[in-house]
CSV table of all heavy atoms in Angstrom, one decimal:
chain,number,residue,atom,x,y,z
U,842,MET,N,2.5,13.0,12.2
U,842,MET,CA,3.2,11.9,12.8
U,842,MET,C,4.5,11.6,12.0
U,842,MET,O,4.5,11.6,10.8
U,842,MET,CB,2.3,10.7,12.8
U,842,MET,CG,2.9,9.4,13.3
U,842,MET,SD,1.7,8.1,13.4
U,842,MET,CE,2.7,6.7,13.1
U,843,THR,N,5.6,11.5,12.7
U,843,THR,CA,6.8,11.2,12.1
U,843,THR,C,7.3,9.8,12.5
U,843,THR,O,7.1,9.4,13.7
U,843,THR,CB,7.9,12.3,12.5
U,843,THR,OG1,7.4,13.5,12.0
U,843,THR,CG2,9.2,12.0,11.8
U,844,GLY,N,7.9,9.1,11.6
U,844,GLY,CA,8.4,7.7,12.0
U,844,GLY,C,9.0,7.1,10.7
U,844,GLY,O,9.2,7.7,9.7
U,845,PRO,N,9.2,5.7,10.8
U,845,PRO,CA,9.8,5.0,9.7
U,845,PRO,C,8.7,4.8,8.6
U,845,PRO,O,7.6,4.3,8.9
U,845,PRO,CB,10.2,3.7,10.3
U,845,PRO,CG,9.3,3.5,11.5
U,845,PRO,CD,9.0,4.9,12.0
U,846,CYS,N,9.1,5.1,7.3
U,846,CYS,CA,8.3,4.8,6.2
U,846,CYS,C,8.2,3.3,6.0
U,846,CYS,O,9.2,2.6,6.0
U,846,CYS,CB,8.8,5.4,4.9
U,846,CYS,SG,7.9,5.0,3.4
U,847,MET,N,7.0,2.8,5.8
U,847,MET,CA,6.8,1.3,5.7
U,847,MET,C,6.7,0.8,4.3
U,847,MET,O,6.5,-0.3,4.0
U,847,MET,CB,5.5,0.9,6.5
U,847,MET,CG,5.7,1.2,8.0
U,847,MET,SD,4.1,1.1,8.9
U,847,MET,CE,3.8,-0.6,9.0
U,848,LEU,N,7.0,1.7,3.3
U,848,LEU,CA,7.0,1.3,1.9
U,848,LEU,C,8.4,1.2,1.4
U,848,LEU,O,9.2,0.5,2.0
U,848,LEU,CB,6.1,2.2,1.1
U,848,LEU,CG,4.6,2.0,1.2
U,848,LEU,CD1,3.8,3.0,0.4
U,848,LEU,CD2,4.3,0.6,0.8
U,849,TYR,N,8.8,2.0,0.4
U,849,TYR,CA,10.0,1.7,-0.4
U,849,TYR,C,11.3,2.4,0.0
U,849,TYR,O,12.3,1.8,-0.2
U,849,TYR,CB,9.7,2.0,-1.9
U,849,TYR,CG,8.3,1.6,-2.3
U,849,TYR,CD1,7.4,2.5,-2.7
U,849,TYR,CD2,8.0,0.2,-2.4
U,849,TYR,CE1,6.1,2.1,-3.0
U,849,TYR,CE2,6.7,-0.2,-2.8
U,849,TYR,CZ,5.8,0.8,-3.1
U,849,TYR,OH,4.5,0.4,-3.5
U,850,CYS,N,11.2,3.6,0.6
U,850,CYS,CA,12.4,4.4,0.7
U,850,CYS,C,13.3,3.9,1.9
U,850,CYS,O,14.5,4.1,1.9
U,850,CYS,CB,12.1,5.8,0.9
U,850,CYS,SG,11.2,6.2,2.4
U,851,GLY,N,12.7,3.3,2.9
U,851,GLY,CA,13.5,2.8,4.0
U,851,GLY,C,13.9,3.8,5.0
U,851,GLY,O,14.7,3.5,5.9
U,852,ARG,N,13.5,5.1,4.8
U,852,ARG,CA,13.9,6.1,5.7
U,852,ARG,C,13.3,5.9,7.1
U,852,ARG,O,12.1,5.5,7.2
U,852,ARG,CB,13.6,7.5,5.2
U,852,ARG,CG,14.4,7.8,3.9
U,852,ARG,CD,14.1,9.2,3.4
U,852,ARG,NE,12.8,9.2,2.8
U,852,ARG,CZ,12.2,10.3,2.4
U,852,ARG,NH1,12.8,11.5,2.4
U,852,ARG,NH2,11.0,10.3,1.9
U,853,ALA,N,14.0,6.3,8.1
U,853,ALA,CA,13.6,6.0,9.5
U,853,ALA,C,12.8,7.1,10.2
U,853,ALA,O,12.0,6.8,11.0
U,853,ALA,CB,14.8,5.7,10.4
U,854,ALA,N,12.9,8.3,9.7
U,854,ALA,CA,12.2,9.4,10.4
U,854,ALA,C,11.7,10.4,9.3
U,854,ALA,O,12.4,11.3,9.0
U,854,ALA,CB,13.1,10.1,11.4
U,855,VAL,N,10.5,10.2,8.9
U,855,VAL,CA,9.9,11.1,7.9
U,855,VAL,C,8.4,11.3,8.3
U,855,VAL,O,7.8,10.5,9.0
U,855,VAL,CB,9.9,10.4,6.4
U,855,VAL,CG1,11.3,10.5,5.8
U,855,VAL,CG2,9.4,9.0,6.5
U,856,PRO,N,7.8,12.4,7.8
U,856,PRO,CA,6.4,12.7,8.0
U,856,PRO,C,5.6,11.6,7.3
U,856,PRO,O,5.9,11.2,6.2
U,856,PRO,CB,6.1,14.0,7.4
U,856,PRO,CG,7.5,14.7,7.2
U,856,PRO,CD,8.5,13.6,7.1
U,857,LEU,N,4.7,11.0,8.1
U,857,LEU,CA,3.9,9.8,7.6
U,857,LEU,C,2.5,10.1,7.3
U,857,LEU,O,1.9,11.0,8.0
U,857,LEU,CB,4.0,8.7,8.6
U,857,LEU,CG,5.4,8.1,8.8
U,857,LEU,CD1,5.4,7.1,10.0
U,857,LEU,CD2,6.0,7.5,7.6
U,858,GLN,N,1.9,9.4,6.4
U,858,GLN,CA,0.5,9.4,6.1
U,858,GLN,C,-0.1,8.0,6.3
U,858,GLN,O,0.6,7.0,5.8
U,858,GLN,CB,0.2,9.9,4.7
U,858,GLN,CG,-1.2,10.2,4.4
U,858,GLN,CD,-1.4,10.8,3.1
U,858,GLN,OE1,-0.6,11.7,2.6
U,858,GLN,NE2,-2.5,10.4,2.4
U,859,TRP,N,-1.2,7.9,6.9
U,859,TRP,CA,-1.8,6.6,7.1
U,859,TRP,C,-2.3,6.1,5.7
U,859,TRP,O,-3.0,6.8,5.0
U,859,TRP,CB,-3.0,6.6,8.0
U,859,TRP,CG,-3.6,5.4,8.3
U,859,TRP,CD1,-3.1,4.4,9.1
U,859,TRP,CD2,-4.9,4.9,7.9
U,859,TRP,NE1,-4.0,3.3,9.2
U,859,TRP,CE2,-5.1,3.6,8.4
U,859,TRP,CE3,-5.9,5.5,7.1
U,859,TRP,CZ2,-6.3,2.9,8.2
U,859,TRP,CZ3,-7.1,4.7,6.9
U,859,TRP,CH2,-7.2,3.4,7.4
U,860,VAL,N,-2.0,4.9,5.3
U,860,VAL,CA,-2.3,4.3,4.1
U,860,VAL,C,-3.6,3.4,4.2
U,860,VAL,O,-4.5,3.5,3.4
U,860,VAL,CB,-1.2,3.5,3.4
U,860,VAL,CG1,-1.6,2.9,2.1
U,860,VAL,CG2,0.0,4.4,3.3
U,861,GLY,N,-3.6,2.6,5.2
U,861,GLY,CA,-4.7,1.7,5.4
U,861,GLY,C,-4.4,0.6,6.4
U,861,GLY,O,-3.2,0.5,6.9
U,862,SER,N,-5.3,-0.3,6.6
U,862,SER,CA,-5.1,-1.4,7.5
U,862,SER,C,-4.4,-2.5,6.7
U,862,SER,O,-4.7,-2.7,5.5
U,862,SER,CB,-6.4,-2.0,8.0
U,862,SER,OG,-7.0,-1.0,8.9
U,863,VAL,N,-3.5,-3.3,7.3
U,863,VAL,CA,-2.9,-4.4,6.6
U,863,VAL,C,-2.9,-5.6,7.5
U,863,VAL,O,-2.9,-5.6,8.7
U,863,VAL,CB,-1.4,-4.1,6.3
U,863,VAL,CG1,-1.3,-3.1,5.1
U,863,VAL,CG2,-0.6,-3.6,7.5
U,864,LYS,N,-2.9,-6.8,6.8
U,864,LYS,CA,-2.6,-8.0,7.5
U,864,LYS,C,-1.3,-8.5,7.0
U,864,LYS,O,-1.1,-8.8,5.8
U,864,LYS,CB,-3.8,-9.0,7.2
U,864,LYS,CG,-5.0,-8.8,7.9
U,864,LYS,CD,-6.1,-9.8,7.6
U,864,LYS,CE,-7.4,-9.5,8.3
U,864,LYS,NZ,-8.4,-10.5,8.0
U,865,ALA,N,-0.4,-8.7,7.9
U,865,ALA,CA,1.0,-9.0,7.5
U,865,ALA,C,1.5,-10.2,8.3
U,865,ALA,O,1.3,-10.2,9.5
U,865,ALA,CB,1.9,-7.8,7.6
U,866,PRO,N,2.3,-11.1,7.7
U,866,PRO,CA,2.8,-12.2,8.4
U,866,PRO,C,4.1,-11.7,9.2
U,866,PRO,O,4.9,-11.0,8.6
U,866,PRO,CB,3.2,-13.2,7.3
U,866,PRO,CG,3.4,-12.4,6.1
U,866,PRO,CD,2.5,-11.2,6.2
U,867,THR,N,4.2,-12.1,10.4
U,867,THR,CA,5.4,-11.8,11.2
U,867,THR,C,6.5,-12.9,11.0
U,867,THR,O,6.2,-13.8,10.2
U,867,THR,CB,5.0,-11.8,12.7
U,867,THR,OG1,4.6,-13.1,13.1
U,867,THR,CG2,3.9,-10.8,13.0
U,868,ARG,N,7.6,-12.7,11.6
U,868,ARG,CA,8.7,-13.7,11.4
U,868,ARG,C,8.3,-15.1,12.0
U,868,ARG,O,8.9,-16.1,11.5
U,868,ARG,CB,10.0,-13.2,12.2
U,868,ARG,CG,10.6,-12.0,11.4
U,868,ARG,CD,11.8,-11.5,12.2
U,868,ARG,NE,12.3,-10.3,11.6
U,868,ARG,CZ,13.3,-9.6,12.1
U,868,ARG,NH1,13.9,-10.0,13.2
U,868,ARG,NH2,13.6,-8.5,11.6
U,869,THR,N,7.4,-15.1,12.9
U,869,THR,CA,7.0,-16.4,13.5
U,869,THR,C,5.9,-17.0,12.7
U,869,THR,O,5.5,-18.1,13.0
U,869,THR,CB,6.5,-16.2,14.9
U,869,THR,OG1,5.3,-15.3,14.9
U,869,THR,CG2,7.6,-15.6,15.8
U,870,GLY,N,5.4,-16.3,11.6
U,870,GLY,CA,4.3,-16.8,10.8
U,870,GLY,C,3.0,-16.4,11.2
U,870,GLY,O,2.0,-16.7,10.5
U,871,ALA,N,2.9,-15.8,12.4
U,871,ALA,CA,1.6,-15.3,12.8
U,871,ALA,C,1.1,-14.1,11.9
U,871,ALA,O,2.0,-13.4,11.4
U,871,ALA,CB,1.7,-14.8,14.2
U,872,ILE,N,-0.2,-14.0,11.7
U,872,ILE,CA,-0.7,-12.9,10.9
U,872,ILE,C,-1.2,-11.8,11.8
U,872,ILE,O,-2.0,-12.0,12.7
U,872,ILE,CB,-1.9,-13.4,10.0
U,872,ILE,CG1,-1.5,-14.6,9.2
U,872,ILE,CG2,-2.4,-12.2,9.1
U,872,ILE,CD1,-0.5,-14.4,8.1
U,873,LEU,N,-0.5,-10.7,11.6
U,873,LEU,CA,-0.8,-9.5,12.4
U,873,LEU,C,-1.6,-8.5,11.7
U,873,LEU,O,-1.3,-8.2,10.5
U,873,LEU,CB,0.6,-8.9,12.9
U,873,LEU,CG,0.6,-8.1,14.1
U,873,LEU,CD1,0.2,-9.0,15.3
U,873,LEU,CD2,2.0,-7.5,14.3
U,874,THR,N,-2.7,-8.0,12.3
U,874,THR,CA,-3.4,-6.9,11.7
U,874,THR,C,-2.9,-5.6,12.3
U,874,THR,O,-2.8,-5.4,13.5
U,874,THR,CB,-4.9,-7.0,12.0
U,874,THR,OG1,-5.4,-8.3,11.5
U,874,THR,CG2,-5.7,-5.9,11.4
U,875,GLY,N,-2.6,-4.6,11.4
U,875,GLY,CA,-2.0,-3.4,11.9
U,875,GLY,C,-2.3,-2.3,10.9
U,875,GLY,O,-3.1,-2.4,10.0
U,876,ASP,N,-1.5,-1.2,11.0
U,876,ASP,CA,-1.7,0.0,10.1
U,876,ASP,C,-0.4,0.2,9.3
U,876,ASP,O,0.7,0.0,9.8
U,876,ASP,CB,-2.0,1.2,11.0
U,876,ASP,CG,-3.4,1.1,11.7
U,876,ASP,OD1,-4.4,1.0,11.0
U,876,ASP,OD2,-3.4,1.0,12.9
U,877,LEU,N,-0.6,0.6,8.1
U,877,LEU,CA,0.5,0.9,7.2
U,877,LEU,C,0.6,2.4,7.0
U,877,LEU,O,-0.3,3.1,6.7
U,877,LEU,CB,0.2,0.2,5.8
U,877,LEU,CG,1.3,0.4,4.7
U,877,LEU,CD1,2.5,-0.4,5.1
U,877,LEU,CD2,0.7,0.0,3.4
U,878,TYR,N,1.8,2.9,7.3
U,878,TYR,CA,2.1,4.3,7.1
U,878,TYR,C,3.2,4.5,6.1
U,878,TYR,O,4.2,3.7,6.0
U,878,TYR,CB,2.6,4.9,8.5
U,878,TYR,CG,1.6,4.9,9.5
U,878,TYR,CD1,1.4,3.9,10.4
U,878,TYR,CD2,0.7,6.0,9.6
U,878,TYR,CE1,0.4,3.9,11.4
U,878,TYR,CE2,-0.3,6.1,10.6
U,878,TYR,CZ,-0.4,5.0,11.5
U,878,TYR,OH,-1.4,5.0,12.4
U,879,ALA,N,3.1,5.5,5.3
U,879,ALA,CA,4.2,5.8,4.3
U,879,ALA,C,4.4,7.3,4.1
U,879,ALA,O,3.6,8.1,4.5
U,879,ALA,CB,3.8,5.2,2.9
U,880,CYS,N,5.5,7.6,3.5
U,880,CYS,CA,5.9,9.0,3.3
U,880,CYS,C,5.3,9.6,2.0
U,880,CYS,O,4.9,8.8,1.1
U,880,CYS,CB,7.4,9.2,3.3
U,880,CYS,SG,8.2,8.6,1.9
U,881,ALA,N,5.4,10.9,1.8
U,881,ALA,CA,4.9,11.5,0.6
U,881,ALA,C,5.6,11.1,-0.7
U,881,ALA,O,5.1,11.3,-1.8
U,881,ALA,CB,4.9,13.0,0.8
U,882,ASP,N,6.9,10.7,-0.6
U,882,ASP,CA,7.6,10.3,-1.8
U,882,ASP,C,7.2,8.9,-2.3
U,882,ASP,O,7.2,8.6,-3.4
U,882,ASP,CB,9.1,10.3,-1.5
U,882,ASP,CG,9.7,11.7,-1.2
U,882,ASP,OD1,9.0,12.6,-1.6
U,882,ASP,OD2,10.7,11.8,-0.5
U,883,CYS,N,6.8,8.0,-1.3
U,883,CYS,CA,6.5,6.7,-1.7
U,883,CYS,C,5.0,6.5,-2.1
U,883,CYS,O,4.7,5.6,-2.9
U,883,CYS,CB,6.8,5.7,-0.5
U,883,CYS,SG,8.5,5.5,-0.2
U,884,LEU,N,4.2,7.4,-1.6
U,884,LEU,CA,2.7,7.2,-1.9
U,884,LEU,C,2.4,7.3,-3.4
U,884,LEU,O,1.6,6.5,-3.8
U,884,LEU,CB,1.9,8.3,-1.1
U,884,LEU,CG,1.7,7.9,0.4
U,884,LEU,CD1,1.2,9.0,1.2
U,884,LEU,CD2,0.8,6.6,0.5
U,885,PRO,N,3.0,8.2,-4.2
U,885,PRO,CA,2.6,8.2,-5.6
U,885,PRO,C,3.0,6.9,-6.3
U,885,PRO,O,2.3,6.5,-7.2
U,885,PRO,CB,3.4,9.4,-6.1
U,885,PRO,CG,3.7,10.2,-5.0
U,885,PRO,CD,3.8,9.3,-3.8
U,886,HIS,N,4.1,6.2,-5.9
U,886,HIS,CA,4.5,4.9,-6.5
U,886,HIS,C,3.4,3.9,-6.1
U,886,HIS,O,3.1,3.1,-7.0
U,886,HIS,CB,5.8,4.5,-6.0
U,886,HIS,CG,6.9,5.4,-6.3
U,886,HIS,ND1,7.4,5.6,-7.6
U,886,HIS,CD2,7.6,6.3,-5.6
U,886,HIS,CE1,8.3,6.5,-7.6
U,886,HIS,NE2,8.5,7.0,-6.4
U,887,LEU,N,2.9,3.9,-4.9
U,887,LEU,CA,1.9,3.0,-4.5
U,887,LEU,C,0.6,3.3,-5.3
U,887,LEU,O,-0.1,2.4,-5.8
U,887,LEU,CB,1.6,3.1,-3.0
U,887,LEU,CG,0.5,2.3,-2.5
U,887,LEU,CD1,0.9,0.8,-2.5
U,887,LEU,CD2,0.1,2.7,-1.0
U,888,GLY,N,0.3,4.6,-5.5
U,888,GLY,CA,-0.9,5.0,-6.2
U,888,GLY,C,-0.9,4.5,-7.7
U,888,GLY,O,-1.9,4.0,-8.2
U,889,VAL,N,0.3,4.5,-8.3
U,889,VAL,CA,0.4,4.0,-9.7
U,889,VAL,C,0.0,2.5,-9.7
U,889,VAL,O,-0.7,2.0,-10.6
U,889,VAL,CB,1.8,4.2,-10.2
U,889,VAL,CG1,2.0,3.4,-11.5
U,889,VAL,CG2,2.1,5.7,-10.5
U,890,MET,N,0.6,1.7,-8.7
U,890,MET,CA,0.3,0.3,-8.7
U,890,MET,C,-1.2,0.0,-8.4
U,890,MET,O,-1.8,-0.9,-8.9
U,890,MET,CB,1.2,-0.4,-7.7
U,890,MET,CG,2.6,-0.5,-8.3
U,890,MET,SD,3.7,-1.6,-7.3
U,890,MET,CE,4.1,-0.5,-6.0
U,891,VAL,N,-1.7,0.8,-7.5
U,891,VAL,CA,-3.1,0.5,-7.1
U,891,VAL,C,-4.0,0.9,-8.3
U,891,VAL,O,-5.0,0.1,-8.6
U,891,VAL,CB,-3.5,1.4,-5.9
U,891,VAL,CG1,-5.0,1.4,-5.7
U,891,VAL,CG2,-2.8,0.9,-4.6
U,892,GLU,N,-3.7,2.0,-9.0
U,892,GLU,CA,-4.4,2.4,-10.2
U,892,GLU,C,-4.4,1.2,-11.2
U,892,GLU,O,-5.5,0.9,-11.8
U,892,GLU,CB,-3.8,3.6,-10.8
U,892,GLU,CG,-4.7,4.3,-11.8
U,892,GLU,CD,-4.1,5.6,-12.3
U,892,GLU,OE1,-2.9,5.8,-12.2
U,892,GLU,OE2,-4.9,6.5,-12.7
U,893,ARG,N,-3.2,0.7,-11.5
U,893,ARG,CA,-3.1,-0.4,-12.4
U,893,ARG,C,-4.0,-1.6,-12.0
U,893,ARG,O,-4.6,-2.2,-12.8
U,893,ARG,CB,-1.6,-0.9,-12.5
U,893,ARG,CG,-0.9,-0.4,-13.7
U,893,ARG,CD,0.5,-0.9,-13.7
U,893,ARG,NE,1.4,0.2,-13.9
U,893,ARG,CZ,2.7,0.1,-13.6
U,893,ARG,NH1,3.2,-0.9,-13.0
U,893,ARG,NH2,3.5,1.1,-13.9
U,894,HIS,N,-3.9,-1.9,-10.7
U,894,HIS,CA,-4.6,-3.1,-10.2
U,894,HIS,C,-6.1,-2.9,-10.4
U,894,HIS,O,-6.8,-3.8,-10.8
U,894,HIS,CB,-4.3,-3.3,-8.8
U,894,HIS,CG,-5.0,-4.4,-8.1
U,894,HIS,ND1,-4.6,-5.8,-8.3
U,894,HIS,CD2,-6.1,-4.5,-7.4
U,894,HIS,CE1,-5.5,-6.5,-7.7
U,894,HIS,NE2,-6.4,-5.8,-7.1
U,895,VAL,N,-6.6,-1.7,-10.1
U,895,VAL,CA,-8.0,-1.4,-10.2
U,895,VAL,C,-8.5,-1.5,-11.6
U,895,VAL,O,-9.5,-2.0,-11.9
U,895,VAL,CB,-8.3,0.0,-9.5
U,895,VAL,CG1,-9.7,0.5,-9.9
U,895,VAL,CG2,-8.2,-0.1,-8.0
U,896,GLN,N,-7.6,-0.9,-12.5
U,896,GLN,CA,-8.0,-0.9,-14.0
U,896,GLN,C,-8.1,-2.4,-14.5
U,896,GLN,O,-9.0,-2.7,-15.2
U,896,GLN,CB,-7.0,-0.2,-14.8
U,896,GLN,CG,-7.1,1.3,-14.7
U,896,GLN,CD,-6.0,2.1,-15.2
U,896,GLN,OE1,-5.0,1.6,-15.6
U,896,GLN,NE2,-6.2,3.4,-15.4
U,897,GLU,N,-7.1,-3.2,-14.1
U,897,GLU,CA,-7.2,-4.6,-14.5
U,897,GLU,C,-8.4,-5.4,-13.9
U,897,GLU,O,-9.0,-6.1,-14.6
U,897,GLU,CB,-5.9,-5.3,-14.1
U,897,GLU,CG,-4.7,-5.0,-15.1
U,897,GLU,CD,-3.4,-5.5,-14.6
U,897,GLU,OE1,-3.4,-6.6,-13.8
U,897,GLU,OE2,-2.4,-5.0,-14.9
U,898,ARG,N,-8.6,-5.1,-12.7
U,898,ARG,CA,-9.8,-5.7,-12.0
U,898,ARG,C,-11.1,-5.3,-12.7
U,898,ARG,O,-11.9,-6.2,-13.0
U,898,ARG,CB,-9.8,-5.3,-10.6
U,898,ARG,CG,-10.9,-5.9,-9.7
U,898,ARG,CD,-11.2,-5.1,-8.5
U,898,ARG,NE,-11.7,-3.8,-8.8
U,898,ARG,CZ,-11.7,-2.8,-7.9
U,898,ARG,NH1,-11.3,-2.9,-6.7
U,898,ARG,NH2,-12.2,-1.6,-8.3
U,899,ASP,N,-11.2,-4.0,-13.0
U,899,ASP,CA,-12.5,-3.6,-13.7
U,899,ASP,C,-12.6,-4.1,-15.1
U,899,ASP,O,-13.7,-4.4,-15.5
U,899,ASP,CB,-12.5,-2.0,-13.7
U,899,ASP,CG,-12.7,-1.5,-12.2
U,899,ASP,OD1,-12.9,-2.3,-11.3
U,899,ASP,OD2,-12.6,-0.3,-12.1
U,900,LEU,N,-11.5,-4.2,-15.8
U,900,LEU,CA,-11.5,-4.7,-17.1
U,900,LEU,C,-11.9,-6.2,-17.1
U,900,LEU,O,-12.7,-6.6,-18.0
U,900,LEU,CB,-10.1,-4.6,-17.7
U,900,LEU,CG,-10.0,-4.7,-19.2
U,900,LEU,CD1,-10.7,-3.6,-19.9
U,900,LEU,CD2,-8.5,-4.6,-19.7
U,901,LYS,N,-11.4,-6.9,-16.2
U,901,LYS,CA,-11.7,-8.4,-16.0
U,901,LYS,C,-13.2,-8.5,-15.8
U,901,LYS,O,-13.9,-9.4,-16.3
U,901,LYS,CB,-10.9,-9.0,-14.9
U,901,LYS,CG,-9.6,-9.5,-15.4
U,901,LYS,CD,-8.8,-10.2,-14.2
U,901,LYS,CE,-7.4,-10.3,-14.6
U,901,LYS,NZ,-6.5,-10.5,-13.4
U,902,ALA,N,-13.7,-7.6,-14.9
U,902,ALA,CA,-15.2,-7.7,-14.5
U,902,ALA,C,-16.0,-7.4,-15.8
U,902,ALA,O,-17.1,-8.0,-15.9
U,902,ALA,CB,-15.5,-6.7,-13.4
U,903,LEU,N,-15.6,-6.5,-16.6
U,903,LEU,CA,-16.3,-6.1,-17.8
U,903,LEU,C,-16.3,-7.3,-18.8
U,903,LEU,O,-17.3,-7.6,-19.4
U,903,LEU,CB,-15.8,-4.8,-18.5
U,903,LEU,CG,-16.1,-3.5,-17.8
U,903,LEU,CD1,-15.4,-2.4,-18.4
U,903,LEU,CD2,-17.6,-3.3,-17.8
U,904,THR,N,-15.1,-7.8,-19.0
U,904,THR,CA,-15.0,-8.9,-20.1
U,904,THR,C,-15.6,-10.2,-19.6
U,904,THR,O,-15.8,-11.1,-20.5
U,904,THR,CB,-13.5,-9.0,-20.5
U,904,THR,OG1,-12.7,-9.3,-19.3
U,904,THR,CG2,-13.0,-7.8,-21.2
U,905,ALA,N,-15.8,-10.4,-18.3
U,905,ALA,CA,-16.3,-11.6,-17.8
U,905,ALA,C,-17.9,-11.8,-18.1
U,905,ALA,O,-18.4,-12.8,-17.9
U,905,ALA,CB,-16.1,-11.7,-16.3
U,906,ARG,N,-18.5,-10.7,-18.5
U,906,ARG,CA,-19.9,-10.7,-18.8
U,906,ARG,C,-20.3,-11.6,-20.0
U,906,ARG,O,-19.6,-11.6,-20.9
U,906,ARG,CB,-20.5,-9.3,-18.9
U,906,ARG,CG,-20.6,-8.6,-17.6
U,906,ARG,CD,-21.1,-7.2,-17.8
U,906,ARG,NE,-20.9,-6.4,-16.6
U,906,ARG,CZ,-21.1,-5.1,-16.5
U,906,ARG,NH1,-21.5,-4.4,-17.5
U,906,ARG,NH2,-20.9,-4.5,-15.3
B,1061,ZN,ZN1,8.9,6.3,1.9
């Protein structure tokens, strides 16, 4: 599938990979449930942030005992 990357690069027509479901606010304030697609260049950047988030979450879970 080719289309606009929904992450960082802003390119309009790139090969896309499905990232997951998202709930996002629209301009009217309504919350829309949809799908997030991103290109191969942006996905590793997302991966770094997800990895960080998971590590912090797990660390908090461990230290909360
Ligand atoms: Zn991209």
Side-chain angles (χ1 to χ4, degrees):
M842 176 173 149
T843 300
C846 176
M847 295 165 78
L848 285 179
Y849 318 111
C850 68
R852 290 182 293 174
V855 285
L857 296 173
Q858 188 175 322
W859 184 73
V860 179
S862 295
V863 286
K864 285 184 181 177
T867 64
R868 287 178 191 178
T869 62
I872 306 294
L873 204 62
T874 301
D876 295 294
L877 180 69
Y878 292 92
C880 75
D882 293 338
C883 290
L884 280 170
H886 298 288
L887 178 67
V889 168
M890 284 191 283
V891 170
E892 190 174 31
R893 255 182 232 160
H894 178 79
V895 167
Q896 284 169 349
E897 280 173 28
R898 182 198 62 194
D899 292 352
L900 197 63
K901 275 179 195 163
L903 284 172
T904 54
R906 282 178 194 171

